[in-house]
Amino acid sequence: MKRLIVTIVAALVALTSFSRDLDVKRLAGDICHVRISADNDSKYLLLPIEESAKEAEVEVIVNNNRVRTLWIRLALSHIDYYAPFALDEFQGEEVLLQMHVPSVPITLSNRGWVGSDLCVNNLRLSDKLDFSSETSERPEYHHTPEYGWMNDPNGMFYKDGEWHLYYQWGPYGLVWNNMTWGHSVSKDLIHWEHRQPAIQADALGAVFSGSCVVDHKNACGFGKDAVIAMYTMDGAVQSQNIAYSTDGGNTFTKYACNPVLVADIPDFRDPNVFWNEETGKWNLILACGQQMRFYSSADMKEWKEESKFGKLYGAHGGVWECPDIFPLPTPDGKSEKWVLLCNINPGGPMGGSATQYFIGDFDGHMFTLDDPDRYTGGKALWMDYGKDHYATVSFYDAPDNRRTVIAWMSNWEYADKVPAIDYRSSNSIARDLFLYEGGQGELYLGSRPAKEYDNAGLDKKFTVKGSTVWTLSNNEKEKVVITYDQKNMKLSVDRTESGMVNFKHTFPAVTIAPVHKKLTSLRIFVDSNSVEVFGNDGEVVLTNIIFPSAPLTTIKANQNEKK
Ligand code: FRU
């Protein structure tokens, strides 16, 4: 590991050089001024990072205005890697970074603290990012950020043949912080192109999760078909804000009279908005502590609280986050039921983060459960029984009335500990949702691989005729074992010997899903860092990440029809 880090450092340093465009001045104590001239045309300032260092305050000052404050683990005693601070946003402007560089105590006679030289002396301008030190292949068809930390998918929508995926992005290192909305776009849900970050943090705080709508009727006055994002600003309090885009979601202008909703409790976030054709209004579902709140609005600026949901129902082992709500056709295709997605952390069935769901009706004002007994006394329905399926939300306006979702493939139990170089974490494949009936005619939510993957040759398909064990392996004796136990109606995924597992004790797990209808088929998607298993094309799903030293390319099925 150490050798690798040194290689990365060397490679990055080789790509860079000191330049007249960079002026670094030590002021008193731990304050350092880093000035990048308006003439600079380098793309990045590379910041030396030590992952276990304390976060240092870095103020970004442009034209004498503080545009945002960042918290960065600037190196104190050694450099783990360099994090790029992108400069293209400030082209033609002088940028001043006022840094509180990490401090070391100095001798008694000096009486005090002084900023470390290591960080100050190793700041560099660069035009290129060098990913050559990555030890394993990037996932072939899973979305990853170009670099830095990623969590929740945000504001996804489909427009003009393109799937837009924004995501919680922390560009300055491999651990959570300084959240902005990164942006990627795909035409096929397989290949993703990275675009400029869409909504940047500002002097009032960081940009947390949220959603996007396409305003077909120009109800909000930002223009017909404007893309409008609603997101949480995490500053002095958590508040809901809007921003609009008239170029199809590439650049956003923040609404001048933000915020549009302010918090009355500490956890107040992750707005999910949709147009309700029946009431002719926008509806909003918002996670508030361990409940959801519903609101309505004609213009997304003035919101009326309609109702609350959830106090007595479902799992409450953690905070409720990242909600979504939408109608889906019933299995007979004759009517619709509303499904409410509620991501919860911790408190998931396999420990840590997970997505629970509720089935009922929504009339623009209130959500009413179909069968409240299914959710009382701590009972809950879960979308996915793997350990790495969180912050699941759907694309707005997906084509052909599909309800297509993506989940973040990680778990807050260990998200900042998983092996990573350059970037940390990936998103699940997209899934199309549907309702199906279990053995007693009760409804469940299923999630089948999006139809874009049907003929892409990415998965292995199996017909299932009874209890079966599938072993995915490589030449390094690393493996993932999938077991269908028909007698006990369980499908499980064992990753305890899947490669690197010891970075956190909760990682080497066997995840187990209940099976509501006998399995007749199984699809397995294996990419370099994940195994996604779909029984009966999405009736039962397990999503788990893995860190093998070589891809698990061999799959053997061992069917035992007697069981
Ligand atoms: C969920 C979450 C959200 C929040 C975001 C911050 O993973 O905690 O509730 O908006 O992450 O990055």
Side-chain angles (χ1 to χ4, degrees), residues 50-346:
E50 178 181 337
E51 204 158 286
S52 57
K54 239 176 85 200
E55 285 169 334
E57 188 177 353
V58 176
E59 291 164 273
V60 183
I61 300 168
V62 179
N63 295 326
N64 210 26
N65 291 318
R66 181 161 51 114
V67 295
R68 70 189 67 121
T69 304
L70 306 173
W71 296 92
I72 304 182
R73 294 167 189 249
L74 296 171
L76 174 63
S77 58
H78 67 269
I79 299 171
D80 284 329
Y81 53 83
Y82 283 79
F85 176 81
L87 294 165
D88 38 8
E89 188 193 340
F90 309 108
Q91 245 174 26
E93 289 175 303
E94 186 185 89
V95 180
L96 169 64
L97 298 183
Q98 176 162 278
M99 293 179 167
H100 292 255
V101 294
S103 307
V104 284
I106 50 170
T107 60
L108 272 181
S109 56
N110 289 321
R111 277 175 289 120
W113 293 68
V114 74
S116 110
D117 286 335
L118 182 70
C119 157
V120 174
N121 293 346
N122 285 286
L123 291 159
R124 302 273 192 278
L125 286 170
S126 172
D127 253 345
K128 287 197 199 103
L129 300 175
D130 175 20
F131 299 126
S132 58
S133 349
E134 285 178 12
T135 40
S136 62
E137 291 295 311
R138 284 222 182 197
E140 197 186 317
Y141 51 92
H142 285 84
H143 170 263
T144 56
E146 188 183 14
Y147 58 88
W149 162 275
M150 175 173 80
N151 54 292
D152 320 353
N154 291 155
M156 299 189 292
F157 70 92
Y158 177 88
K159 192 171 188 290
D160 304 329
E162 291 187 323
W163 301 85
H164 289 258
L165 162 59
Y166 304 87
Y167 51 89
Q168 283 287 284
W169 192 37
Y172 315 113
L174 297 177
V175 282
W176 181 92
N177 213 338
N178 307 301
M179 302 323 286
T180 81
W181 276 27
H183 184 198
S184 303
V185 174
S186 176
K187 287 191 171 27
D188 57 8
L189 293 172
I190 296 171
H191 304 94
W192 293 93
E193 169 199 325
H194 294 296
R195 301 249 169 108
Q196 291 302 306
I199 304 179
Q200 288 278 14
D202 61 28
L204 294 176
V207 187
F208 273 18
S209 289
S211 57
C212 277
V213 295
V214 183
D215 187 2
H216 300 294
K217 295 183 199 282
N218 193 18
C220 302
F222 297 125
K224 185 173 157 24
D225 293 332
V227 178
I228 306 174
M230 188 164 187
Y231 53 94
T232 302
M233 283 298 288
D234 183 61
V237 294
Q238 294 195 333
S239 66
Q240 315 318 319
N241 296 254
I242 56 176
Y244 59 94
S245 167
T246 51
D247 63 3
N250 282 319
T251 57
F252 282 83
T253 306
K254 287 177 183 157
Y255 172 54
C257 302
N258 276 333
V260 293
L261 261 181
V262 281
D264 53 9
I265 54 169
D267 289 310
F268 181 77
R269 56 177 181 263
D270 309 341
N272 205 321
V273 191
F274 58 99
W275 178 255
N276 190 321
E277 201 56 56
E278 251 146 55
T279 55
K281 286 203 172 131
W282 300 104
N283 274 132
L284 161 65
I285 180 170
L286 191 67
C288 302
Q290 292 199 4
Q291 286 193 78
M292 297 301 177
R293 283 194 209 168
F294 291 102
Y295 296 80
S296 64
S297 169
D299 58 6
M300 286 179 65
K301 297 163 193 161
E302 300 279 332
W303 289 96
K304 174 177 170 236
E305 187 177 327
E306 295 281 355
S307 61
K308 293 187 176 67
F309 168 78
K311 200 169 177 184
L312 302 172
Y313 302 116
H316 283 273
V319 185
W320 284 19
E321 300 183 316
C322 303
D324 201 350
I325 183 168
F326 40 78
L328 283 180
T330 50
D332 61 9
K334 291 193 179 139
S335 58
E336 280 184 339
K337 282 286 156 202
W338 285 74
V339 176
L340 191 160
L341 299 186
C342 167
N343 291 281
I344 176 171
N345 175 60

Side-chain angles (χ1 to χ4, degrees), residues 142-143 150-151 153 165 167 406-409 425-429:
H142 285 84
H143 170 263
M150 175 173 80
N151 54 292
L165 162 59
Y167 51 89
I406 284 184
W408 174 49
M409 281 205 293
S425 88
S426 56
N427 280 314
S428 73
I429 56 165

Side-chain angles (χ1 to χ4, degrees), residues 363-383:
D363 63 1
H365 309 283
M366 258 182 94
F367 178 72
T368 333
L369 287 169
D370 251 12
D371 180 359
D373 284 352
R374 296 179 87 186
Y375 313 92
T376 48
K379 282 185 289 214
L381 297 178
W382 301 99
M383 231 179 129

Side-chain angles (χ1 to χ4, degrees), residues 2-16 46 48-49 78-82 122 124 130 133:
K2 272 229 170 80
R3 201 174 331 130
L4 257 173
I5 288 161
V6 173
T7 327
I8 305 170
V9 173
L12 282 167
V13 170
L15 281 171
T16 60
L46 298 180
I49 305 290
H78 67 269
I79 299 171
D80 284 329
Y81 53 83
Y82 283 79
N122 285 286
R124 302 273 192 278
D130 175 20
S133 349

